[in-house]
Amino acid sequence: AGGSKREVTPPRPPHSVSLLSSMTAGRKERGSEAGRPAPSGRGFEDGAAADASGGSAAHLPQGPDQAQLVESNEPLTLSMSMHPLLQAKNFFASSRVSSSYLVDGDVTQLYSGDALDDTPLENRIFRDRTTCFGLRFKLLSVERVFLNGRARQNKYVVVLGYALVFFLSLMEVLKTWLLKKFKDVHCPDIEDNSTETDISCSKAESFYSYGAFAYQLTYILPSYGLFTVLGIASHVYIHKSKRVHDKAWAMLATFVLYFVFGTALYTATIITREKQWPDHFLNSAVQGLTVYLFFSGTPTFSSFFVLSILTLVVYFVAFPLSYRHVKSKFGEKSTDALELKTNFTQDAYPLLLTIFIELVGAYISEVSRRKQFLQGVIMINQQEEIIQRKAKNETIQKDLLENMLPTSIVSKLQEQNFAVQSWDQLRSLSQRHSGVCIMFAELEGFTAFSAEVSPPRVMEYLNDLFYVFDSLCEEHDVYKVETVADQYVAAVGVVTGKMLSEELSRDLSENDRQKSDVKFAMDETSNGGSARSDESLLGASTFNTVRMIDFAKAIMRGSKCVEVPSSSIPPMLRIGIHTGPCMSGIVGTKNLRFCLFGDTMNTAARMDQMGRADCIHTTEDVIDLAPGEAWEKLRRIDVKGKGLMQTYLLPYSAFEKDGENPSVSEICFENPLLLKDGRQKNLQPGPAPHLPDEALAATPSNRSKYEECATPVKDSVYKNYTKHLGLAFKKFEWEKAYLDGEARLVEIEVYIGYFLYVLVLLSNLLFGYINYVLHHSICADSSLTAVEFCQLKFGELALDQAQDMDGGDGRLSYNDIITYSLFRMTPASLGILLGLNALGPLTHWFIHRKNYVKSKYWALVNVWVIYTAKLIVIFVIMYLSLVIPEQEKNADWPWGWGPVLVTQALLLVLYSGVPMTLYCAWWCIATALYYGFSLPIILQDKALLDEGASMYLITINEYIKTSIIVFCMGVILCLGKYSKEINTRKRLLQRVQVLKQQDEIIRQKTRTETIQHEFLENIIPPSLVKKLESGREDLSVSLVRLKTMTETHLGMCILYADLVGFTTFSAQVDPFKVFTFLNQLFHTFDSLCDEHNAYKLETVGDCYVATVGLVTGERINLTSPKESDSARKIHRSVMQSTVSCDALSSAGSMRSASSVNIRNLLEFAKAMVRGSRQVMKPEVRTPAIMRVGIHSGTCLSGIVGAKNLKFTVLGEDIDIAAQMEHEGKPDAIHASEDVAFLLPKERWVKFKRIERSDREPMQTYLLEV
């Protein structure tokens, strides 16, 4: 006993049985395990068992009024105190399944926690799956799917990009027209250049850059139009054509068009604009690259990097070539050469700065898109894996259910969510069958055999024997109904064979039913047709009977192949068969089972009980249907409830040589534990990959679902959830979730933006130094052309400084550098900007890292405020640098305002994550600052024009060009931000919809799985359910595993209760009323199980079997076969106080455990007797009287069979308990001496002495209730 284990489960306090009292609450509170053991003993020896072995999962209201309800045929209203199957809806109202089904208010859960694409695990997976610094997936198949999905996602954005390019050409024409108009007004072409204005125009003419208006209309505008038409046409063709399966070709087409058109445009600009081409090149390059960045729909960084390299190569290679041409044409000291040199140097800085900022942004955006794609693929695979696993579990559990109940019953229960809410539903689960052949097979001498052989060996032998029987069921199309210990029950014509079935009618009496023209539903497994006549009934009966006789002969032969453990009296099989009508339905409330009952069951059981070993015993009805066998006529016998009957025998010797004995090793049949190869392939989904390598590389159909990872929801769906042109969700919770999620996703990007801003400030100083060197080299030249150019372009102050430094010490000061920088940063202004730029990251970190700032979208507001403050500071600095009298203005001062504004706008759109509304507000503020500070200066300088100042003409020329550029860049960036935000919002909506759909599937499957799991645990103990399901991991559990699911239980107490006079009662009352009466009675007993910590093992007809110490109560379990052999000896020694229990490794002694268990079961028995008196029999109007027997001892439990799995218990003490009930007294409790010994305070009365199976006498006791 050293290897034993003792599990103590405290009893549950009494309470009203309602709302899952029998399935969930009781099991969870007291840790019990629901199950369905089958008692050993003669299950159908008593006539009552054969007359009505049925019940239902439905429960009626308790009390005497039940009989009146049954008699009246009125619709029954079920009470709230009912079986969990009747309250499945209540279960889901009170018990949550594992689901996170999303509703609108729960969308904020999506972005709780860390950023979705910034976890260490995802970063590691991303690094493992990508190359080239995360810019390409290692597998070409994955790369193709990503590109294809990306192309589908951006098909409309690309069209918008082509339209924007044409819009830019129109703005270029507008700019040329405005500049020409201004020149025509202030500098008309006249021959007499006598006025000061004409002299000023003549001086400024070399700096004018407006181009030829006719050239714009003739060549530039048509070229842009042709590019737009070709781009849109090729793009639409690729996406609409069914012959182009990979839409990623649209990306290649877009890139080629931009590359070719950009090269042609750069070349044309350089050739046609000799000295001003750097300005035009800068405008075209910055605008074109920005459009490509936001509206190309291509892999942003790689293609953008190529175009950027092309731009820089053309720019820096073209300058020496064009400079050489200008020098040769106009001379090295000419104004044209100096202006080309100046323009090239000044335009190189904003070009390099813009390309650098956009390149970094393109890289971050590309990596983010690929991470999101990979995350979406992982999410889909994980969701599919969950669904597959749940579908697998659901299939496993459904197969196990179908292994215990007919498929038709399981399907009907599944349609009703495994809930029976009315008697009509109960009737739908119950049917009358005609022409059914039923067989009972039993081992003669099994009691004596099991007394000599150890319980584990007995269980192993029964498994081997029933395994043979189960396998032959498949071959002969026979349905296994039940096993009760060594008894095997099968039928043909109920689930298999030719079935003539009718639904139960509530409105017709029994006589009316017999006279009515019943419409039978015929389901044939062999032949087709319908059966409405006596000929059909005869044909079905004959077919089913012949099929059953063949099966009986097969199992008789098969039993000879099973190795029998050594014993003095080996068991031998005897079989009884009868054909006739019967009724089927689900029996019981706890541990329910599909059962048959009626006179045919009774007669078949009698044939078995009164038969002979190695013979098939049958009735005259069977002989009439199958006369071709070698039947031996017997003399008439007296059958209980039937009178004298003529019966026949078919001995084994008569058919021994008809066929070969089957080999156990060759037997294979379909069941949920041992599946055929074909079925196994259908059920086993295989491991779902966490990453899409294999799936993406398989077929286009598999790849299409992953392309959805890069494709947001449709526009029509998006419009239903958004407002204000798609810039806000209709529901405030969604809007907060989006902003909060966006803030988390761009957390790192914001830090990068602040860092790049510092680089911009430092590069501005570098540009100031380079510009200073350029100015000094030009202004230091004493030639007349250089002096005039310096005065006109840079002003008198620049000329004087250059002249002074040539004669001075040549030292360069900070003030000299900021004078020639893009905007003048004094030490104070630089400190303010750096302070704001440092405050931004600190507040950003604070918002994201402090838990009491719950809404992280405040980080977006913080970024917007910081960038707006820096913009205001810069404009104030630039304005003050122009209005301070000591500072001289350059003629081209408006040129510098454009790059400053565009640079800030690029940083904000690429590195902030601010929503479109705030970004547009920022542009409104920037535009107001631009015109608010620049127009007063322009109006103030207009007075200089009357004095002949040519600098004003140059300023207006630059101001018009800068204003057009700012407007164009504002349109591009705002539309780009709009497109980016719409895409981001669609991604949020897509993720919500995917999760809702996937989660709904999981919720439904989990719901079904939960119902089936609870339903399955209502049939066999949960511990065995887990073992069966875990053993199905590869869907190939062998019979050896079933044999290991055995345990020996010590100190358990078992009860048998039988309904007195049930045979006579069932013969007088309509079968369905008997059916409902048994449900009411069993429901009363089931509700008492929870109150008294008892566990229902079985119902065999009207016999109710329960125990304490097997699943509930104080459990002492042994798993070793050697320990099991001596378990009964240990128990007897303890009961006789001859051996100490110190050897048991348990918390208390076996005697105390047995005492607790017996006390609980005895209280349960008392409650049963009292409760049965409250249930009235219908029609006869008498109370139900029970005969109860209890005993304490040991037993072996386990699963028997492979089809219609049965949790059963075996052992001598089980037989003794059944004997206590059989020889007991009505309305009293009959107990063994072991029970009376452990509970001496009860009012026991000596009753009789009976003989055990081992021939030892035993005193029994009676307890009146």
Side-chain angles (χ1 to χ4, degrees), residues 761-836:
L761 295 179
L762 296 178
S763 63
N764 183 54
L765 297 177
L766 177 62
F767 171 73
Y769 171 76
I770 296 174
N771 204 23
Y772 168 80
V773 173
L774 172 66
H775 285 56
H776 182 76
S777 63
I778 294 176
C779 296
D781 192 347
S782 58
S783 63
L784 180 61
T785 304
V787 171
E788 290 181 353
F789 179 85
C790 183
Q791 287 177 338
L792 190 61
K793 183 74 173 178
F794 308 129
E796 293 290 344
L797 182 60
L799 179 62
D800 295 340
Q801 287 179 345
Q803 297 293 336
D804 292 342
M805 291 196 67
D806 271 351
D809 54 7
R811 289 186 300 177
L812 183 66
S813 64
Y814 175 79
N815 188 59
D816 294 333
I817 294 176
I818 63 172
T819 300
Y820 294 96
S821 61
L822 199 61
F823 60 95
R824 296 178 180 179
M825 297 185 302
T826 62
S829 61
L830 180 60
I832 294 174
L833 290 176
L834 291 177
L836 289 173

Side-chain angles (χ1 to χ4, degrees), residues 810-1098:
R811 289 186 300 177
L812 183 66
S813 64
Y814 175 79
N815 188 59
D816 294 333
I817 294 176
I818 63 172
T819 300
Y820 294 96
S821 61
L822 199 61
F823 60 95
R824 296 178 180 179
M825 297 185 302
T826 62
S829 61
L830 180 60
I832 294 174
L833 290 176
L834 291 177
L836 289 173
N837 204 66
L839 179 63
L842 290 177
T843 53
H844 190 73
W845 176 87
F846 178 84
I847 293 173
H848 279 284
R849 290 297 176 266
K850 295 304 178 181
N851 294 330
Y852 48 84
V853 183
K854 302 297 182 182
S855 300
K856 303 305 178 184
Y857 55 76
W858 288 108
L860 302 180
V861 178
N862 174 73
V863 173
W864 183 84
V865 170
I866 295 297
Y867 272 86
T868 304
K870 291 189 293 186
L871 178 69
I872 295 174
V873 171
I874 289 177
F875 269 107
V876 170
I877 293 172
M878 292 190 299
Y879 174 76
L880 293 178
S881 66
L882 295 176
V883 298
I884 296 177
E886 293 81 8
Q887 301 290 342
E888 184 181 11
K889 297 188 294 289
N890 293 334
D892 58 352
W893 64 263
W895 171 85
W897 288 45
V900 170
L901 181 57
V902 170
T903 300
Q904 294 259 61
L906 281 173
L907 290 174
L908 186 62
V909 74
L910 294 176
Y911 305 100
S912 69
V914 297
M916 179 65 182
T917 51
L918 290 182
Y919 189 71
C920 289
W922 185 91
W923 262 104
C924 291
I925 295 174
T927 304
L929 291 174
Y930 174 76
Y931 288 106
F933 284 119
S934 61
L935 282 178
I937 300 176
I938 294 295
L939 296 176
Q940 179 183 359
D941 292 347
K942 187 176 184 302
L944 299 176
L945 181 62
D946 300 332
E947 300 176 3
S950 57
M951 291 183 61
Y952 177 75
L953 300 178
I954 299 175
T955 299
I956 294 298
N957 182 75
E958 294 296 334
Y959 187 72
I960 293 175
K961 291 193 298 181
T962 302
S963 298
I964 296 295
I965 292 174
V966 168
F967 174 76
C968 291
M969 290 301 296
V971 172
I972 295 172
L973 293 179
C974 285
L975 288 177
K977 177 62 181 177
Y978 177 80
S979 175
K980 183 179 179 181
E981 180 161 334
I982 294 297
N983 181 59
T984 307
R985 289 178 180 271
K986 283 184 177 181
R987 283 190 175 278
L988 171 66
L989 186 59
Q990 178 196 31
R991 183 163 185 260
V992 172
Q993 285 191 325
V994 168
L995 287 180
K996 287 177 69 174
Q997 293 170 358
Q998 298 276 16
D999 201 75
E1000 172 64 14
I1001 296 174
I1002 295 174
R1003 188 180 71 89
Q1004 292 296 335
K1005 288 185 175 291
T1006 303
R1007 182 175 183 270
T1008 304
E1009 177 185 340
T1010 303
I1011 295 176
Q1012 291 184 351
H1013 191 84
E1014 297 284 356
F1015 187 82
L1016 193 60
E1017 289 182 351
N1018 199 37
I1019 298 178
I1020 60 178
S1023 60
L1024 293 185
V1025 174
K1026 293 179 182 178
K1027 288 182 180 180
L1028 286 173
E1029 292 177 349
S1030 63
R1032 291 283 304 283
E1033 200 62 37
D1034 57 355
L1035 300 179
S1036 58
V1037 175
S1038 64
L1039 186 61
V1040 177
R1041 180 168 182 82
L1042 291 178
K1043 296 175 182 178
T1044 63
M1045 297 181 185
T1046 60
E1047 285 185 323
T1048 300
H1049 308 273
L1050 285 72
M1052 68 91 196
C1053 189
I1054 189 167
L1055 170 148
Y1056 275 71
D1058 192 53
L1059 186 62
V1060 178
F1062 183 72
T1063 304
T1064 304
F1065 159 72
S1066 61
Q1068 300 173 352
V1069 182
D1070 177 79
F1072 185 73
K1073 293 181 179 180
V1074 176
F1075 192 61
T1076 54
F1077 163 72
L1078 285 178
N1079 273 287
Q1080 169 63 13
L1081 183 65
F1082 289 162
H1083 172 58
T1084 302
F1085 298 162
D1086 291 345
S1087 63
L1088 296 172
C1089 284
D1090 291 330
E1091 295 183 25
H1092 298 280
N1093 205 26
Y1095 178 73
K1096 175 184 174 183
L1097 288 175
E1098 176 68 285

Side-chain angles (χ1 to χ4, degrees), residues 338-369:
L338 295 176
E339 184 176 1
L340 175 61
K341 183 179 180 181
T342 303
N343 290 339
F344 172 79
T345 305
Q346 290 182 343
D347 292 335
Y349 171 66
L351 180 64
L352 290 171
L353 184 63
T354 302
I355 289 177
F356 177 72
I357 292 175
E358 291 184 347
L359 266 178
V360 176
Y363 175 79
I364 294 175
S365 177
E366 180 73 11
V367 171
S368 176
R369 288 191 181 99

Side-chain angles (χ1 to χ4, degrees), residues 442 444 574-576 603-612 617 634 636-640 643 647 649:
E442 192 171 10
E444 185 171 305
R574 69 170 185 261
I575 298 175
T603 305
R606 294 297 177 265
M607 293 300 101
D608 168 44
Q609 296 161 11
M610 305 178 72
R612 299 176 187 175
H617 189 204
L634 302 177
R636 297 167 70 86
I637 60 175
D638 187 14
V639 178
K640 182 180 179 181
T647 61
L649 277 182

